[in-house]
Every structure is written in structure tokens, then in C-alpha cells.
Amino acid sequence: MIALTFRNPATLPILASIMLTLLCLISLGVGAGGTSLADLWHASGDTEILAISRLPRTLAAVLAGAGLAIAGLIMQAIARNRFVEPATAGTAQSAELGILLVTILWPAAALGWKALAASLAAVTGTALFLMTAHRLPATQPYLVPLFGLVYGGVIGAAATFIAWQTDLLQYLSVWSNGDFSGVLRGRYELLWLGAILVAVAWLIADRLTIMALGRETSIGLGIDYARMLQIGLVIIAVISAVTVVVIGIIPFVGLVVPNLVSRLMGDNMRATLPATALSGAILVLGCDILGRLIRFPYEIPVGTVMGVVGAILFLFLLFRRHTDA
Amino acid sequence: MIRIEQVSLQYGAAEILKNVSLTIPKGGVTALIGPNGAGKSSLLSLISRLQSLQAGSITIDDLPVDTTPSREMAKKIAILRQDNQVGSRLTVKELVGFGRFPHNRGHVTQADADMVGEALKLFDLTDLAGRFLETLSGGQRQRALVAMAFCQDTDYLLLDEPLNNLDMYFSRELMRLLRWIADERGKTIVTVLHDINYGGGFSDRIIAMKHGQVVADGPPRELVTTETLRLIYGFDIPVTLIDGQPVALPFTK
């Protein structure tokens, strides 16, 4: 693993940028519409399909992937635990519950309002999780993710129960399993909010890194810990909520990407944040392309593909853990 | 000057500190000793604003610790805490560099880099500079954390059991460094120690606490006596003078 260590902070982002560019080109060329990249190049194909469907879909995957990876990174820093992520520790489930409730109470609500309701629910759900996580004994690091799984499961179950009672189970499945096939121009732009929040995270990267060293070190270095906790919470919750509203839950991205990048580059977010965002985008876009190709011309939702790919990556991380210096 | 006036602290029914008043003038090394649970760490936490005051007041150079902005305090006072379980994948150099954060807010200047280089050299960490903290031994990590506090370059430096995990060589090295920082850099150092002989050898003043109160206070030669130690620890400890320095010998059966 030592040979794989990217101590030059520029190496990984450059490699990742090249790979992401390639994937974007592939993504623009793949689809049931039968228009290939070569056709698009010669302008003989249907360029409309590019502007309306494939470009938005590609951008959506990049934005969602980058956002989810950063949300995971921040959540792990704040919870001081490498095994939590918004998709399993109750953030995404709370967002889901929020959309469900607003759909029941105000069925005609526009996407923006649904996103707002989802964000508020996600902030509340995540705050409760973090408050509890900070109370769990630091000597038992596996308690935090375990609690997160149970907590997320309970909120998810509550959402399922309400959806079942109100005949909205089919709606719920749209949010609980991420899928890019519904992305069209005009229906994904909320995801740019995630990009703005990633930029905010970049601005406060030093403070987030110090926060991962704990409350006392943070205060000792003059950081307003409570305020930073609130900012981090909002970033995690809004990125997750917007993704759930537009795409649905995509598991594992927030878990495996920050861990992989940390293995290669360490924990200084000023250095790792770009690589984490790029890697998240690569993983999600790659899984979406895979989902489009496996049963071409039919599609497998990205949430399902990620469930398999993410689990394999996570197992890889676990088994490499002890051989790592 | 650190001025502590009538400070009390309670957790439920447990009284941790009872009406403690102390002044620690600028400069020199002050050792804080006393049995486990005497309230030493709590007092340090209150001085360094890690814990909020319940009763009484604490000022550092006339700045009240509870109302002065934390950012300002971070340029006045640095603290090293007892628990240092940092499972972080920051390098030693990155960690020590964060000591400069109160001054540079993330914009690293050449002066910051020089200071980090000096700290790494002083604390014998140059060879470990590129290592991740999680790969270090307890003693190496402890030195990295002290180096970070040193880099904060504050007038006041508080250390809670800095000799934890350090072997004899590095314990002595650290105490010598603290002495040097106080003498040559004019810093004020307050450190919790458990081995009273390090206090006797390297400090100007020893403050002894027991049951949340100050029970003895004075220069080592006055304080390190069998009578005073019995008062503090509750058993007889022979004390001999070696080259004019009192040495406690609690090693007999």
C-alpha cells in the first residue's frame, strides 16, 4: 500500500480529472437513443438528445457523486468516525421522510419546496444522530456506525409505514433507490446547490480538518466549534437532501470514497478535498454508465449498481486495513 | 499574569474545585501536582476555556477567559490535553503546522514554515515529519502534540501531564525544553506533573492540590519535604538533598 501512496498532492487529482473527462465523453455517447459520439461529432445525429438528456444526466451524476463524497467526508470528520455516511446514518432517510410528508400534506408542491422540506428533515435527523454519536464512548468506535445503521433503519421504516398507510409506496421507491434515467434538462439543476456547498467546504477545509482532531483541540486553536458544527451539519444535510429529491438514495459513495482517498493522501482536507470530490464523481458516473450498458438498451438504476460496486470496494477497504502501514 | 479568583466547579453532587484562588505571574515554569482526582486537569480546562466557568473568574493578562473571543485567546494561551488518542492520517508536519492556525487562519507564510521547521527540530521530530500520526508510538505522538502547542507561540503554555508515554530520555528532554522556552523565550509554562522530582528539578514553583483545593504552594526546596508530601499524598516519603535539589524517594516497601 505504501507504494501506492500519493504524497504529491497533485498526482491523484490530475489522474482523477483525466479519468472523469473520459467517463463524461463515454456517458455522452451511450444511450438507448442510438446516437453515438461520432454521430454527435459530425452533427449528423440528434443533437437535441445531447442537450436535453445526456448532458444533464452526465452533469447530474458528476454533481451528485462529488457532493455525496464530500458530505461523507465532512460527516466522518465531525463524527470522528470513518465508518459513517449520510446514506446509512439517518440523513438520507430523514430527507426521504421529509419529502414523503410534504407530498402527503401538499401534493402540488414544486420540486424546490420538496427539497427545502427534505433539507429541514435531514438537518434535524443528522443533528440527532451527531448529538448521540458524540455521547457514545470513544473507546468503542464501532458503536457509532452501528447506531447509525439502526437509527437510519428506524427512520426508513417509519417512512415505509407512512407510505404504506397512504398508498405512496411506489413514490417512496423512487427516492429510496437512486436512478438517473429520469434526469432531463430542467429537472436536475437543484444539484448545482451541492456544487456550491462543496465550494463552501473547500473554503473551510482547514477548520474541518482541525475539527476531526476533536472539540478541545479545535477550541484550543481558536475555532468556534459550535458554529462549525452547524455549518458542517447544513452542508451534509442539504447535499444529501437535494440528491434524494432529484436522484434518490445512492449508498456507499460517502463511505468508500473518503476512505479510499484518505488511504492514499491522508486526512488534510485542504489537500484531499478536490481528489475526494473528483473520485466521488468518477464512481457515480462510472456506475451509471455500467448500469446503462449491462442490459443495453434497458437500464439498471445507479442505486442498485452502487450497492454491488460500493460493497465490493468497502470489503476491499476492510481487508486491506491491517496490511496498511 | 493568570489570575484565578474564587473558582468553584461542581458535577452534580461532586465538588471538583472548591473556591480556588491563585495568581501565576508572567514567566517561569509552574508545576501543578496532587493526587488523582484533585482537580488539576479541571483547573487547566477552565483556564484554557475548554470548560465554561460556573463560579468565580479567571483572567489572563486582564482578559476574562470566558468572554474574550476564542480566536483572541488562541493567540494568548495554548493547551496540551491529557488524552491524545489521535487516530488521524495527518502527517506530523501537518499537525505541527496547525499550531500556526490562530495566527495565519490557513494562509501559510514563510515565517510559519520556519517556525514549524524549528519546532520539528527542537522536539526531535524532523525524521518523523512525513509520518502519519496513526503510525506513531504514544511517545512520538505526545511529542508531536507538544510541538504543535509550541508552534502556537503563545505567552502562556498549559500542559496536562506532558510526560505521559515518554521514556526517561524524552521526559528529561521535554522538561529541559520547557525550561528553555520559559528562560529564553520568556513564556509562562504551567504543567501538571505526577513525578514530583521533575517538578523539583525544573520548576520555579510547585502548586499542590488535593480535594479541589490548593494545599501547598511554594518553591521546590520549601515544598518537597516529607511533611508537605504527607499532607498531599497521605503517606511518608523520604526526601534527600542531592546537589542542593530535594529528591523524593517513594520507592521503599
Side-chain angles (χ1 to χ4, degrees):
Chain A
M1 206 64 190
I2 289 170
L4 254 172
T5 304
F6 292 78
R7 298 310 277 274
N8 181 349
T11 316
L12 195 57
I14 291 171
L15 283 178
S17 304
I18 296 169
M19 196 162 164
L20 185 59
T21 313
L22 285 175
L23 282 176
C24 284
L25 289 174
I26 295 171
S27 170
L28 293 175
V30 173
T35 305
S36 74
L37 257 191
D39 294 337
L40 293 171
W41 183 257
H42 297 109
S44 61
D46 187 359
T47 45
E48 275 289 281
I49 201 165
L50 185 77
I52 294 175
S53 164
R54 284 191 198 164
L55 183 63
R57 180 174 188 156
T58 305
L59 282 172
V62 169
L63 292 171
L68 289 176
I70 297 305
L73 178 69
I74 297 176
M75 192 168 199
Q76 287 166 17
I78 291 180
R80 299 189 71 191
N81 191 299
R82 290 190 197 282
F83 297 108
V84 294
E85 66 146 335
T88 51
T91 309
Q93 290 78 10
S94 304
E96 213 179 13
L97 187 61
I99 317 171
L100 183 67
L101 293 177
V102 84
T103 307
I104 294 168
L105 299 172
W106 185 17
L111 207 60
W113 289 110
K114 281 187 182 162
L116 184 68
S119 300
L120 290 175
V123 166
T124 315
T126 314
L128 278 171
F129 168 73
L130 287 174
M131 273 161 57
T132 316
H134 280 167
R135 275 164 210 268
L136 294 173
T139 45
Q140 305 217 2
Y142 296 104
L143 222 49
V144 175
L146 206 59
F147 166 72
L149 281 175
V150 174
Y151 177 75
V154 168
I155 297 174
T160 308
F161 179 74
I162 295 170
W164 178 59
Q165 290 286 317
T166 50
D167 265 338
L168 287 172
L169 267 182
Q170 264 194 317
Y171 265 101
L172 195 70
S173 68
V174 170
W175 301 310
S176 56
N177 195 6
D179 186 2
F180 286 103
S181 63
V183 171
L184 293 170
R185 187 169 64 194
R187 286 190 53 194
Y188 82 100
E189 284 76 1
L190 264 177
L191 288 175
W192 284 103
L193 201 57
I196 295 169
L197 291 172
V198 169
V200 172
W202 167 250
L203 287 177
I204 57 172
D206 292 314
R207 269 166 274 190
L208 290 169
T209 307
I210 294 171
M211 277 183 87
L213 296 174
R215 176 183 168 274
E216 294 186 336
T217 308
S218 306
I219 295 176
L221 291 174
I223 286 164
D224 189 339
Y225 188 75
R227 165 78 66 77
M228 288 305 301
L229 212 55
Q230 290 162 358
I231 295 174
L233 190 67
V234 168
I235 296 177
I236 297 167
V238 173
I239 287 179
S240 308
V242 166
T243 313
V244 173
V245 170
V246 178
I247 308 297
I249 295 180
I250 308 175
F252 285 116
V253 187
L255 181 66
V256 294
V257 174
N259 272 292
L260 279 172
V261 176
S262 165
R263 286 284 167 89
L264 298 174
M265 293 179 68
D267 283 340
N268 187 357
M269 286 194 211
R270 180 63 68 201
T272 63
L273 206 132
T276 308
L278 285 169
S279 307
I282 289 172
L283 183 60
V284 171
L285 185 58
C287 283
D288 183 45
I289 293 172
L290 207 60
R292 278 186 260 170
L293 291 176
I294 292 173
R295 292 180 58 213
F296 191 82
Y298 305 104
E299 292 196 6
I300 298 170
V302 70
T304 311
V305 179
M306 189 65 76
V308 177
V309 175
I312 293 170
L313 283 173
F314 185 60
L315 285 176
F316 169 77
L317 276 172
L318 281 183
F319 285 117
R320 287 305 291 261
R321 196 172 160 73
H322 299 290
T323 56
D324 187 26
Chain B
M1 178 155 61
I2 301 176
R3 196 189 295 273
I4 299 162
E5 276 169 0
Q6 297 176 338
V7 165
S8 297
L9 183 71
Q10 279 187 321
Y11 289 139
E15 280 192 275
I16 311 296
L17 294 172
K18 297 174 201 161
N19 211 15
V20 173
S21 294
L22 267 178
T23 48
I24 299 169
K26 218 167 177 160
V29 178
T30 301
L32 206 52
I33 64 158
N36 298 131
K40 308 179 297 290
S41 295
S42 297
L43 188 62
L44 242 49
S45 292
L46 289 174
I47 299 172
S48 56
R49 80 203 176 296
L50 299 183
Q51 234 173 321
S52 31
L53 275 170
Q54 288 176 353
S57 74
I58 298 177
T59 59
I60 299 174
D61 289 347
D62 295 323
L63 296 171
V65 293
D66 47 346
T67 53
T68 308
S70 187
R71 269 168 86 156
E72 293 309 308
M73 289 305 294
K75 295 178 196 168
K76 269 265 160 238
I77 187 165
I79 169 118
L80 171 80
R81 289 280 297 165
Q82 234 180 77
D83 64 302
N84 69 354
Q85 26 166 300
V86 185
S88 171
R89 294 175 65 82
L90 287 176
T91 63
V92 170
K93 194 174 171 185
E94 284 168 339
L95 180 85
V96 175
F98 277 124
R100 299 302 302 155
F101 188 80
H103 305 277
N104 65 25
R105 308 294 295 173
H107 302 285
V108 180
T109 64
Q110 187 57 46
D112 294 323
D114 292 345
M115 179 108 201
V116 172
E118 188 199 1
L120 291 174
K121 206 175 285 173
L122 274 178
F123 290 90
D124 209 357
L125 291 164
T126 313
D127 291 342
L128 302 174
R131 289 263 298 271
F132 285 135
L133 292 174
E134 66 173 13
T135 68
L136 301 182
S137 75
Q140 292 170 329
R141 204 174 303 153
Q142 181 77 353
R143 272 153 54 207
L145 287 162
V146 181
M148 172 168 106
F150 170 78
C151 254
Q152 217 172 320
D153 196 23
T154 50
D155 289 343
Y156 297 87
L157 180 55
L158 307 187
L159 305 114
D160 199 348
E161 295 183 36
L163 304 185
N164 262 356
N165 295 313
L166 296 186
D167 62 29
M168 276 174 113
Y169 173 78
F170 279 116
S171 293
R172 175 170 171 275
E173 279 301 297
L174 180 59
M175 290 312 293
R176 275 166 46 136
L177 261 174
L178 293 179
R179 189 71 252 174
W180 179 83
I181 294 167
D183 293 340
E184 302 298 321
R185 297 287 171 92
K187 310 286 188 190
T188 310
I189 290 170
V190 181
T191 176
V192 172
L193 290 176
H194 274 304
D195 188 336
I196 193 163
N197 292 328
Y198 281 110
F202 294 96
S203 68
D204 306 301
R205 176 184 178 189
I206 297 179
I207 297 170
M209 292 183 68
K210 188 180 184 179
H211 301 319
Q213 286 171 313
V214 174
V215 291
D217 183 353
R221 292 189 65 162
E222 287 173 25
L223 196 129
V224 185
T225 61
T226 303
E227 293 71 41
T228 314
L229 294 183
R230 188 192 308 121
L231 173 77
I232 302 167
Y233 294 103
F235 69 107
D236 284 324
I237 303 172
V239 175
T240 51
L241 275 182
I242 297 177
D243 290 342
Q245 178 188 329
V247 177
L249 299 163
F251 308 113
T252 47
K253 280 186 198 168

